[in-house]
């Protein structure tokens, strides 16, 4: 009798993809799949934005737990769930933690410099920075790590790693240094084009390879983060210096996020180097296996593994 297993996350993703592909063919179906996959890759960030809006609507001043602390508990619980359900690997979690820490360090500095503030009280607060804020940076790292895997991305031709690490470090240092010396962000914008204008992001929505210039992808991601920034300020979660109630976040912040996204990406490449190619590539179309085929393959692999373990247990260690 065949052992029935509960569906894994990967099997569920494949089944949902098949559901859409079989009902919506052609270009529209592929476009819909693109956005669905993007949303799935950004799961952590999407859930956090929902939490920002939801807590703003329902939280009461007389509750024993402050809203900021509720957001912190939600973020920690979400991160644990991402790992438990294997939505992130432990290697990815480690580099996401690194970006979490570098983001928190920048938060501590920017709060001290008066760039923005967190107006509400809370217990889980460090140096005026609520501890949930680091998870906002972590959600960016989570998205990048997951989107590379979900879309089977390749980045080619990709600059030398040591150059990209220096580029990321220069961006990060400038976020601090421009308060005391010359702001070099215009030069950093130019450097991003010089380094990555030739780099194509190859990805699969279905079986046909698609590509996008890497700086365009970074700009589009920065625009989405800018929208999320507006959700944060309009829910009163944080406020930028000189910003009034219900005033949109300055478009200049989109430039800041454009640069910070390069820092996040360079950090994630510590565990995603297999997606990088120093030379140009020309991916070929590949058939997309159905959920049933994937299911059968996984059952076959698991069955073989089970048989090996049973034989090993029967004969004992060699």
């Amino acid at each position: 009798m065949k052992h029935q297993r509960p569906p894994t996350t990967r099997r569920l993703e494949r089944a949902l993809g098949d559901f859409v592909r079989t009902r919506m063919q052609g270009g529209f179906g592929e476009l819909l799949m693109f956005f669905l996959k993007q949303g799935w890759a950004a799961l952590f960030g999407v859930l956090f934005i929902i939490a920002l809006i939801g807590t703003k609507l329902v939280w009461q001043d007389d509750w024993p737990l402050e809203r900021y602390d509720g957001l912190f508990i939600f973020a920690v619980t979400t991160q644990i769930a991402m790992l438990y359900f294997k939505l992130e690997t432990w290697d990815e979690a480690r580099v996401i933690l690194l970006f979490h820490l570098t983001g928190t360090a920048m938060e501590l500095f920017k709060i001290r410099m008066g760039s923005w503030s967190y107006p509400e009280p809370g217990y889980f607060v460090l140096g005026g920075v609520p501890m949930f804020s680091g998870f906002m940076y972590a959600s960016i790292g989570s998205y990048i790590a997951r989107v590379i895997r979900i879309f089977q991305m390749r980045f080619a031709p990709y600059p030398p790693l040591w150059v990209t690490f220096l580029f990321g470090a220069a961006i990060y240092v400038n976020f601090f240094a421009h308060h005391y010396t010359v702001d070099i962000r215009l030069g950093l914008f130019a450097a991003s084009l010089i380094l990555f204008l030739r780099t194509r992001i190859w990805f699969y929505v279905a079986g046909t390879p698609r590509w996008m210039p890497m700086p365009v992808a970074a700009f589009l991601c920065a625009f989405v983060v800018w929208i999320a920034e507006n959700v944060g300020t309009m829910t009163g979660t944080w406020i930028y210096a000189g910003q009034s109630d219900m005033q949109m976040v300055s478009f200049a912040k989109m430039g800041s996020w454009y640069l910070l996204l390069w820092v996040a990406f360079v950090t994630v490449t510590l565990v995603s180097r297999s997606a990088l190619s120093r030379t140009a590539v020309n991916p070929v179309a590949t058939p997309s296996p159905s959920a049933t085929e994937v299911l059968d393959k996984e059952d076959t692999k698991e069955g073989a593994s089970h048989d090996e373990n049973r034989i090993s247990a029967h004969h004992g260690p060699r």
Side-chain angles (χ1 to χ4, degrees), residues 46-275:
V46 170
L47 291 175
F48 202 85
I49 289 173
I50 293 173
L52 292 180
I53 298 172
T55 55
K56 182 63 177 179
L57 292 175
V58 305
W59 217 267
Q60 302 297 318
D61 292 338
D62 58 351
W63 286 6
L65 189 69
E66 301 291 350
R67 175 173 172 249
Y68 282 178
D69 300 325
L71 288 170
F72 173 67
I73 294 172
F74 173 82
V76 172
T77 304
T78 302
Q79 181 61 77
I80 293 172
M82 295 286 284
L83 290 169
Y84 179 80
F85 291 107
K86 296 181 172 58
L87 299 176
E88 292 172 358
T89 68
W90 281 101
D91 283 341
E92 290 168 351
R94 280 190 281 270
V95 296
I96 291 168
L97 174 62
L98 177 59
F99 191 55
H100 179 129
L101 295 175
T102 55
T104 300
M106 191 169 69
E107 286 275 333
L108 290 167
F109 177 80
K110 292 291 187 178
I111 288 292
R112 188 168 65 86
M113 300 303 295
S115 299
W116 58 80
S117 63
Y118 293 91
E120 298 181 26
Y123 295 104
F124 294 103
V125 177
L126 177 65
V129 177
M131 294 178 67
F132 73 79
S133 66
F135 287 93
M136 296 187 293
Y137 295 88
S139 69
I140 301 294
S142 173
Y143 164 75
I144 294 173
R146 281 168 51 77
V147 81
I148 290 173
R149 178 159 36 85
I150 290 170
F151 282 87
Q152 304 172 55
M153 289 182 171
R154 293 291 304 276
F155 301 82
Y158 192 78
L161 273 177
W162 69 270
V163 175
T164 64
F165 289 148
L166 285 179
F167 175 61
I171 292 174
Y172 187 71
V173 169
N174 188 65
F175 277 112
F176 297 85
H178 81 85
H179 288 278
Y180 305 105
T181 184
V182 178
D183 188 351
I184 63 169
R185 73 180 61 196
L186 292 179
L188 294 170
F189 288 139
S192 72
L193 296 178
I194 294 170
L195 288 174
F196 297 100
L197 189 59
R198 292 178 59 246
T199 303
R200 293 182 175 186
I201 304 178
W202 288 96
F203 60 93
Y204 289 90
V205 178
T208 303
R210 309 292 184 185
W211 69 273
M212 179 183 295
M214 196 168 180
V216 173
F219 173 79
L220 293 175
C221 288
F223 177 71
V224 173
V225 175
W226 176 80
I227 293 174
E229 284 267 30
N230 280 281
V231 173
T233 57
M234 290 185 179
T235 56
T237 309
W238 61 87
I239 302 173
Y240 283 102
Q243 184 181 17
S244 59
D245 292 342
M246 302 308 293
Q247 181 183 0
M248 293 184 68
V249 176
S250 167
F251 279 107
K253 298 300 179 185
M254 191 160 59
S256 298
W257 271 108
Y258 171 83
L259 292 175
L260 196 60
L261 281 164
W262 288 109
V263 178
F265 179 80
V266 168
T267 304
V268 171
T269 59
L270 291 171
V271 295
S272 299
R273 295 188 185 183
S274 61

Side-chain angles (χ1 to χ4, degrees), residues 254-304:
M254 191 160 59
S256 298
W257 271 108
Y258 171 83
L259 292 175
L260 196 60
L261 281 164
W262 288 109
V263 178
F265 179 80
V266 168
T267 304
V268 171
T269 59
L270 291 171
V271 295
S272 299
R273 295 188 185 183
S274 61
L276 312 178
S277 173
R278 288 283 292 117
T279 58
V281 298
N282 187 24
V284 296
T286 58
S288 181
S290 67
T292 303
E293 290 171 335
V294 173
L295 181 69
D296 290 341
K297 287 181 180 179
E298 290 189 1
D299 282 338
T300 301
K301 288 180 180 179
E302 185 168 291

